Amino acid sequence: MGIAAKTQGPAVAIVPLGGLGEIGKNMMVMETEKDLIVIDAGLAFPGDDMPGVDVVIPDYTYLLERRHKLRGIFLTHGHEDHIGGMPYLLKEVQAPVYATRLTLGLVERKLEEEKLSLPARSRAIRPGERVRAGSFTVEPFLVNHSIPDSVGFAIRTPVGLFVHTGDFKFDQTPIDGRVADYQRLAAYGAEGVHVLLMDSTNSERPGVTGSERQVGEALANVFRQAQGRILIASFASHLHRLQQVFTLAAEFGRRLAVIGRSMESVVEVALKLGYLHDPGVMVPADKIQELPPERVVVLMTGSQGEPLSALARAASGELRKLELLPGDTVVIAASPIPGNEKLVQRTIDNLFRRGCHVIYGPHAGVHVSGHGSREELRLMLNLTRPRFFIPVHGEYRHLLHNAELARSVGIEDDRILIGENGTLFEVTSDAARIRGKVQAGAVMVDGLGVGDVGNVVLRDRRQLAQDGVLIVAMVLSREQRRVISGPELITRGFVYMRESEDLLAEARERAIQAIREIDEQDITEWSNIKAAVRDALGRFLFERTGRRPVILPIVLEV
Amino acid sequence: MGIAAKTQGPAVAIVPLGGLGEIGKNMMVMETEKDLIVIDAGLAFPGDDMPGVDVVIPDYTYLLERRHKLRGIFLTHGHEDHIGGMPYLLKEVQAPVYATRLTLGLVERKLEEEKLSLPARSRAIRPGERVRAGSFTVEPFLVNHSIPDSVGFAIRTPVGLFVHTGDFKFDQTPIDGRVADYQRLAAYGAEGVHVLLMDSTNSERPGVTGSERQVGEALANVFRQAQGRILIASFASHLHRLQQVFTLAAEFGRRLAVIGRSMESVVEVALKLGYLHDPGVMVPADKIQELPPERVVVLMTGSQGEPLSALARAASGELRKLELLPGDTVVIAASPIPGNEKLVQRTIDNLFRRGCHVIYGPHAGVHVSGHGSREELRLMLNLTRPRFFIPVHGEYRHLLHNAELARSVGIEDDRILIGENGTLFEVTSDAARIRGKVQAGAVMVDGLGVGDVGNVVLRDRRQLAQDGVLIVAMVLSREQRRVISGPELITRGFVYMRESEDLLAEARERAIQAIREIDEQDITEWSNIKAAVRDALGRFLFERTGRRPVILPIVLEV
């Protein structure tokens, strides 16, 4: 499949390779007969059903088959789910990367860690600037989001103007004073938007998402009331929030330290590029123990309760450079991402056990989302007045709710297209429709391997995790037509071997008997031995323990 | 430790063995020098860090060491986290079980499944009735909760009156008309409550928990609007909610079927005992396909998105007896328990993909909690006016918030005692204090094994789940002082074996070389071979794949 030559007049294909029907690994292809651009190249974190997997990236096959047409990679902002796939992608394709200055700085840092560099002709772009990429002309426009320098793209194509919002909210009082560009969005609306692609993340949420400034006010209250140290956990990339803490530190006469690898790294980049301003409060983390508690504030990682993060380790008493004390105030300035709830709760409980004062949860006012709620999504629809609408960035229900919003502002049902990863949308100057499905999905990255862990390996891992493994090893003499050593039984993750000696001894007897029952003729066929042992032990162990370990018979021959 | 003979005057020990510092496996011991009673014997479901574990029960050691003193087991209500441990406990101890009729019926059913029966002299008790158990006199009082026949206990002890609330809320308009017994609670308060032990589950939640009747109104709206079939997922034991659906079915002329093992089982018990009334609407599940969609309502399991539940299987198209159709209305009448959010969301997305109308979430009104919120907890404190207060049933932060509520109604700080599982509280007629810590914790049940899976086994399982296992088997000739067959390499959950032949071939070479480097003298020591192989392959595989599979060298001798 792909974009057809047969179509009457020009046509543009829109192919989401990630981020539709899921939260994470956002990536989208836009394509004409001759040219192709990519918007974002993110990663996702693995679910519980992917043990051992480090990260997940989109299946790029569709793009790789068309790499000769690739004219540019455009990035909306610097979050992992939008740029985290770049090191993997750039090992496969080369094309100029276009992003705002902060986003590009974060990508460069990420590439350096992998000993890669930006492709030739990559450069920082500014809102309002137009970039030609084959038959596409891409113009970034400013939006508000939980990382500075976030943009959407207005894309002029042979069939009309497309608007891709990226992740966005409308913050009327942003920390850096840079409000989303209403004028330009309205101008697109006046010009005529052919297709709008809009963030669906918060389409279930009524009303309007709060301003980041409200978080500043809640944090100021914390600074007013806290007697001892203040520790604030936040996403590392939330530079506006970090800036508010820097500013409050100066205002309240506290020194500020940063703890946690990703936080240290982002702060360094942001200070260098001027996206974060230190009013002279920063001190190295190892200095805070020397300062009086009421003179200290710490910014740290761990707002998701990740077991290896600074906050979780501090909470369980394992972080040497920061020993928590009764009287410390800990602020968790984030909501748990679905799936992380229990980790966050465990961290909060541990903090309370250490006597900390903990500020967290939806009523504390120390977090607002970076995504627009229902009224903001409606506002974007009304500003841009699109002819066709494709909801993007969200689980399936979010896409549906976003579609419902479009209907509520008067977009007819047949102009709303709902697809998922791999859906091929075809847009001509007077129509938009779903043409089919292309290869798309999740590629799992485990250690250095990209894509070498698949469903079979995961199924094995899940089974190993359930009841462990039992290995039955023996030596077969081909000459003597019998087993001359073993079977030896070894287990991991099944039962305590020491306390289950009787069980294993009996299992061994069963294995011996199963082998004995095989005819002399058949015994040199390993598969007969293996099947007999697996059957006999599987039955026996299930009867005795109610468990089904993975049974691996191994026959060595001499 | 235990209750001391030295203490001046009589003393009562309160020892929580489960449910303090966690949600689940509630169990508490109350003890004098000569007698002991148990309140509740629940189970908990395993966390993500306990792969393969089926359920978790409290470590009963403290109780078993004192079983000769056991005078009775008192159960507050029929939820798994209060009665689920009974089959395990009754294999270890025998004592009369006292519970209200429904609770006892559910326990009996549970015991029958394990071929057990209730101990001698067990019997159903009614609110207001007094039961002597050694030096304790226990009087159940009615509370509201998300299962009928829930009670708390007023316990007269040698040192004064204790009140244990069990799980409770105050529902002013309960479905069965049985409001919590304010009169009796107030009378206890007038008499003088020495110690109050109160449910902390919702102590973070402001205001008052809604009445179950509100859910009925929301469900009535669903019945009014639904064009096609109505499917309602709920906890099986929530008989008031089930009753409302039965009643609505009759009112709106729909036939009702029940799908899901636990739902079928509870409905059967409840109909038999009269806790559920069928106004003639029930039909067998296999009959619903024959009825017109607007004449059908189905009650089913799966409100937590459990992958094997009826709803999850229907949502993914795997439930043969119920094929979902566009136009079906699905109601998820429950909140996700922390940790289940993603499973529930996946189910909702799948339902939307099938074109169902899905009603879910906090704003839909189709669920209220069974636990009292902050104002109800304050009301309980003011009704009973306890001298000492011990918050129970909740994670650590819930206990702390509950303590804060007690302070807010005027209970002094030194009369509030916060402990966790294993804390030994000692109460005399004029004091209550924490005396120490006894053995308590989690016993994991896996298949037929109770307690034979511990940290070592779990650690192995987690490691196996991360990167799988590599087995390196070989035959050593003691005579020839060399390896005469193998090493053979077998993996599971590490890499695809077929696609990694080169890697494994090279690994085999490394293993051979590592063995070769061992002196002839040392080679008959298996441990030398094993260590050499493990080291060499561990390093090699990490370099090449970034993974650390469990490496199991096996040496067989001939």
Side-chain angles (χ1 to χ4, degrees), chain A residues 323-494:
Chain A
E323 197 190 331
L324 292 177
L325 306 169
D328 285 346
T329 297
V330 181
V331 180
I332 299 181
S335 305
I337 293 171
N340 292 345
E341 290 85 354
K342 283 189 105 166
L343 291 174
V344 174
Q345 289 169 4
R346 189 176 307 162
T347 302
I348 293 168
D349 283 322
N350 285 339
L351 291 168
F352 274 124
R353 285 194 180 95
R354 293 191 175 268
C356 298
H357 182 52
V358 194
I359 298 172
Y360 65 97
H363 304 296
V366 292
H367 176 68
V368 293
S369 169
H371 299 269
S373 299
R374 291 168 69 87
E375 294 311 311
E376 288 156 275
L377 301 180
R378 285 197 175 103
L379 174 56
M380 180 63 88
L381 284 157
N382 281 326
L383 280 168
T384 55
R385 296 191 306 192
R387 192 158 170 211
F388 296 102
F389 177 54
I390 301 176
V392 300
H393 299 180
E395 310 264 5
Y396 193 73
R397 67 190 181 284
H398 301 133
L399 306 180
L400 281 196
H401 285 296
N402 208 356
E404 199 184 286
L405 291 174
R407 271 191 292 274
S408 79
V409 302
I411 301 180
E412 299 91 343
D413 228 12
D414 56 355
R415 298 184 180 275
I416 301 170
L417 288 84
I418 294 173
E420 297 199 61
N421 296 339
T423 298
L424 189 148
F425 300 93
E426 186 184 67
V427 185
T428 59
S429 57
D430 55 9
R433 60 192 183 106
I434 290 175
R435 267 242 358 245
K437 197 89 184 147
V438 308
Q439 182 173 339
V443 171
M444 287 170 271
V445 179
D446 179 3
L448 304 176
V450 177
D452 66 340
V453 169
N455 290 331
V456 175
V457 173
L458 287 184
R459 194 201 55 206
D460 285 346
R461 287 184 185 175
R462 284 192 297 260
Q463 207 184 337
L464 288 167
Q466 278 302 303
D467 288 327
V469 61
L470 172 72
I471 297 145
V472 188
M474 66 204 87
V475 181
L476 180 75
S477 163
R478 190 163 280 271
E479 227 167 77
Q480 303 176 40
R481 293 190 165 270
R482 62 180 190 92
V483 169
I484 56 167
S485 178
E488 295 291 331
L489 273 58
I490 293 168
T491 81
R492 282 291 185 285
F494 169 50

Side-chain angles (χ1 to χ4, degrees), chain A residues 204 360 448 452 461 493 547, chain B residues 204 360 452 461 493 545 547:
Chain A
E204 282 178 304
Y360 65 97
L448 304 176
D452 66 340
R461 287 184 185 175
R547 296 176 206 169
Chain B
E204 282 177 305
Y360 65 98
D452 67 340
R461 286 184 185 174
T545 67
R547 298 175 205 169

Side-chain angles (χ1 to χ4, degrees), chain B residues 496-511:
Chain B
Y496 280 121
M497 282 187 74
R498 283 200 194 151
E499 292 175 17
S500 305
E501 278 170 8
D502 293 351
L503 177 75
L504 294 178
E506 201 177 331
R508 187 167 182 271
E509 283 309 311
R510 299 290 178 114

Side-chain angles (χ1 to χ4, degrees), chain A residues 250-291:
Chain A
E251 199 176 324
F252 286 86
R254 288 180 184 251
R255 305 306 295 267
L256 183 152
V258 171
I259 299 183
R261 211 179 60 84
S262 65
M263 185 77 87
E264 289 159 18
S265 159
V266 170
V267 165
E268 193 192 314
V269 173
L271 285 170
K272 199 175 74 186
L273 296 181
Y275 286 87
L276 194 60
H277 168 67
D278 172 16
V281 294
M282 261 188 98
V283 291
D286 52 14
K287 289 282 172 283
I288 52 174
Q289 306 278 26
E290 300 163 15
L291 292 166

